[in-house]
């Protein structure tokens, strides 16, 4: 998943706590892998996707600790395919 986003030119930042923050080149999409974020764990999530469309309302999708990583990867692949059109 990181390889896909990196290949598409996304900014990827890792924290010392092992969280990873990824932002699309135009800044309209944020993806967070948050395994060590206390507020994420309090909500039982480890993935957060936030989309800031230029002509619409912000929307967020979060995935819990039991969501298969393949499902998250499929969601992100569909999102970046759609947003790159």
């Amino acid at each position: 998943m990181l390889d896909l986003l990196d290949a598409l030119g996304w900014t990827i930042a890792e924290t010392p706590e092992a969280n990873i923050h990824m932002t699309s080149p135009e800044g309209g999409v944020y993806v967070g892998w948050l395994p060590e974020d206390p507020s994420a764990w309090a909500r039982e999530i480890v993935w957060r996707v936030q989309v800031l469309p230029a002509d619409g309302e912000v929307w967020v999708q979060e995935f819990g600790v039991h969501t298969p990583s393949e499902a998250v990867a499929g969601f992100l692949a569909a999102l970046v395919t759609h947003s790159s059109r």
Side-chain angles (χ1 to χ4, degrees):
M1 191 170 343
L2 290 176
D3 291 340
L4 169 66
L5 299 181
D6 187 43
L8 293 172
W10 286 48
T11 301
I12 300 174
E14 297 181 44
T15 69
E17 298 82 20
N19 297 313
I20 302 174
H21 304 278
M22 299 152 274
T23 308
S24 63
E26 78 287 345
V29 182
Y30 163 81
V31 177
W33 163 243
L34 309 168
E36 300 299 329
D37 183 301
S39 67
W41 273 99
R43 295 188 325 274
E44 298 185 355
I45 66 154
V46 289
W47 288 98
R48 177 179 174 84
V49 178
Q50 181 172 330
V51 178
L52 307 146
D55 58 352
E57 293 188 36
V58 174
W59 61 268
V60 174
Q61 177 64 54
E62 296 177 327
F63 298 93
V65 297
H66 301 294
T67 305
S69 59
E70 297 86 358
V72 178
F75 176 85
L76 290 176
L79 180 66
V80 299
T81 299
H82 175 71
S83 65
S84 64
R85 289 185 203 172

